[in-house]
Amino acid sequence: SQQGEEDPQALSIQEGENATMNCSYKTSINNLQWYRQNSGRGLVHLILIRSNEREKHSGRLRVTLDTSKKSSSLLITASRAADTASYFCATGLSNDYKLSFGAGTTVTVRA
Amino acid sequence: DAMVIQNPRYQVTQFGKPVTLSCSQTLNHNVMYWYQQKSSQAPKLLFHYYDKDFNNEADTPDNFQSRRPNTSFCFLDIRSPGLGDAAMYLCATTGRGNEKLFFGSGTQLSVL
């Protein structure tokens, strides 16, 4: 069943601005992952953060995880038109091979 | 080079006519997944394989079945597609359970 809930549902920003989106989940997790999906395509893995980590960086991406609040955020800095996509968080449980995805945040970066 | 390949990219079928979607992977991963994604919704897990062990989600309709003849290939069979089955079907794989997933480009299924 879907565990992650994302906020906002949609986000429109100017090129060069930062984009922040949040994910909340319900149960204890082993890891939390963020994926990007361009329109009509498959999902691409962006970053994975484990339950014992609080922050992780990858290029222009910064992910935080607060297990006490059961929430995570994804920050995209200095956004580009090519960042226009839907972003999904996904949670992995211990001893489980499944990932549960949230409904996603649609980001539009205006040139 | 694509590591998870789904064919076809677009599939049109008629109401009630069986259809098969295919997925292949070059990563030699143990775990393969089929997700269904409807417009503006979260991908929903239908089933997954660990090697040949098949795991069906409790709410996956009986109309959906899957086959994994070997490590590289996995098929999704929809026995009698209904209009509500029109969706993007995504295949994914991972070498270590619930770690990074590699997705194919998806098959967009239309049911007429």
Side-chain angles (χ1 to χ4, degrees):
Chain A
S1 61
Q2 180 180 330
Q3 166 154 242
E5 296 288 339
E6 283 151 275
D7 170 63
Q9 287 187 321
L11 184 59
S12 180
I13 56 173
Q14 200 74 32
E15 201 165 30
E17 292 179 338
N18 295 343
T20 300
M21 60 211 86
N22 304 294
C23 171
S24 59
Y25 57 91
K26 297 172 185 171
T27 62
S28 295
I29 59 171
N30 183 48
N31 66 66
L32 187 142
Q33 303 177 37
W34 287 90
Y35 288 79
R36 184 186 72 222
Q37 185 179 35
N38 290 88
S39 181
R41 308 296 293 184
L43 280 75
V44 175
H45 182 267
L46 295 176
I47 198 165
L48 180 152
I49 187 165
R50 301 191 187 281
S51 59
N52 61 353
E53 297 175 309
R54 291 297 167 258
E55 187 171 314
K56 208 160 183 180
H57 296 254
S58 177
R60 294 183 295 112
L61 305 179
R62 173 178 167 250
V63 169
T64 63
L65 179 64
D66 187 336
T67 52
S68 66
K69 295 181 180 177
K70 292 188 171 57
S71 68
S72 173
S73 68
L74 172 66
L75 168 68
I76 305 172
T77 60
S79 63
R80 306 167 181 168
D83 295 328
T84 294
S86 292
Y87 293 81
F88 294 88
C89 68
T91 50
L93 307 180
S94 299
N95 301 318
D96 197 328
Y97 291 103
K98 301 184 288 189
L99 280 187
S100 295
F101 285 85
T105 294
T106 300
V107 174
T108 303
V109 182
R110 305 185 306 273
Chain B
D1 291 337
M3 296 175 285
V4 183
I5 300 165
Q6 290 189 244
N7 285 305
R9 281 283 288 125
Y10 301 95
Q11 176 73 57
V12 180
T13 191
Q14 291 180 336
F15 183 94
K17 185 174 180 182
V19 65
T20 295
L21 310 181
S22 72
C23 176
S24 64
Q25 52 119 345
T26 59
L27 298 163
N28 205 36
H29 281 170
N30 300 98
V31 191
M32 292 187 79
Y33 306 85
W34 279 105
Y35 283 88
Q36 179 194 62
Q37 185 182 28
K38 296 188 177 180
S39 182
S40 302
Q41 295 185 21
K44 177 181 178 298
L45 183 63
L46 295 173
F47 20 64
H48 75 279
Y49 282 90
Y50 183 87
D51 287 334
K52 287 215 172 234
D53 290 337
F54 176 71
N55 297 272
N56 198 32
E57 291 301 294
D59 56 356
T60 297
D62 292 340
N63 197 24
F64 290 85
Q65 296 181 338
S66 183
R67 296 170 283 137
R68 189 179 186 187
N70 53 52
T71 300
S72 301
F73 285 88
C74 197
F75 300 96
L76 170 62
D77 301 308
I78 308 177
R79 289 191 296 182
S80 181
L83 298 179
D85 297 328
M88 171 76 88
Y89 289 87
L90 296 162
C91 173
T93 181
T94 185
R96 293 174 59 189
N98 81 25
E99 299 274 322
K100 174 181 176 179
L101 261 58
F102 296 84
F103 279 85
S105 295
T107 293
Q108 183 68 51
L109 178 69
S110 300
V111 182
L112 304 180

